[in-house]
Amino acid sequence: MIEEPFYRDTWAEINLDAIQNNVRNMKKLSGEKVKIIAVVKANAYGHGYAEVAEAALAAGAESLAVAFLDEGLYLRSAGIKAPILVLGAARAGDAALAAEHQIALTVFSEEWLKEAASHLHDKKLSIHIKLDTGMGRLGFTEKDALDRFAAYAASAEKVEIKGIYTHFATADELDTGYFEKQAARFEELLEGLPAENWLVHCANSAAGLRFPAKHFNAVRLGISMYGLSPSAEMKSELPFPLEEALSLHTRIVQVKKLKKGESVSYGATFTAEEDMWAGTLPVGYADGWIRKLKGSEVLLNGERVPIIGRICMDQCLIRLPGEVKTGEKVTLIGRQGEAFIPVDEIAERLETINYEVTCMMAARVPRMYLKNGSIMKVKNYLLS
Ligand code: PMH
């Protein structure tokens, strides 16, 4: 029996085998000595925190990364025991909570760590030191300040340095100039630090896939774990085929014949130029299927059909090739027979990146998890 059923005809399918194959292929590429940190922030890029974390860990990832402490606490509440790193800035006052749940925090200021230490009780706080080598978001930029900090942190009784890392701004671009400067700066900053037992990591998916020499001893795998390329331009450089994990489906809830001259949806912007068939789909902008997707195509019986009229909050309409039955499955992202709508097609249509498309999927869309081709679990955030 599948737990957490859902009562609407729109759902996402997450293929856990695809996620695991992507992790395994990355692991093969980087070798046994390099650890995989599965990046599961933002509900695992829309795919589901705990389900992706468990699948990635079972496939060989050693630890997890999230953006905020809350996300780490959520994973702990879901029973995940693996090491977790918070990549974003945490509040010093929350260090004790992080320590209690064995969640490592990212640190980039001595003052912050002093204040955090004053909040710690009996449990040690694990930290990763963040270096800013050109991304400009968080991190130490100066060697002196970094060395002073590292010495202080190493001597602080309630603190354990677990790692040190930086983040690339352009690893997904074919022009490698800026990337190389960042990588060189990372090595300069690392010089002389007692990093032998630390996790040293800089590679995101793009650097992980393209530059195995820059793996150090861990790779932070985000977008390509989900089977998506970090950018369109580096698709030609992928060392193994990525398997896209997420698909999105719905069912036609009403079929109607429109007479020539009749209009549909808000603004009555679509008017039938001749008698035609149309179908209503129970999916809309509040699900992440935003209004800018007006006119884009979906799959019905393996054929592409267009969305007509404005997309509403919870519904939209499509042109039908003829009279079809209500309940017919419609695929918004994914495969139907030979036909395929990849996440990248939606991203291009929205003039954005694939990351944003999957992250945008609303919590009210139930997620169905597939393993070996069958449904393993359904997650309905509204009813759990
Ligand atoms: N490490 C850090 C610090 C990140 O911010 C991200 C992604 C990753 C690793 C994983 O990168 P990947 O998904 O390209 O593999 N962060 C973001 C971001 O802040 N905006 O887009 C992606």
Side-chain angles (χ1 to χ4, degrees), residues 39 41 45 87 130 135 137 165-167 203-206 220-224 230 353 355:
V39 181
K41 59 188 176 146
Y45 294 33
L87 299 166
K130 182 77 191 279
M135 181 67 183
R137 294 195 300 202
Y165 73 104
T166 193
H167 190 55
N204 52 2
S205 292
R220 297 187 307 276
L221 193 62
I223 197 74
S224 52
I353 52 174
Y355 296 72

Side-chain angles (χ1 to χ4, degrees), residues 98-100 120-126 156-160:
E100 186 190 326
L120 292 169
H121 315 300
D122 49 337
K123 298 246 165 57
K124 265 196 169 183
L125 175 70
S126 294
E157 215 178 287
K158 297 175 192 162
V159 174
E160 187 171 2

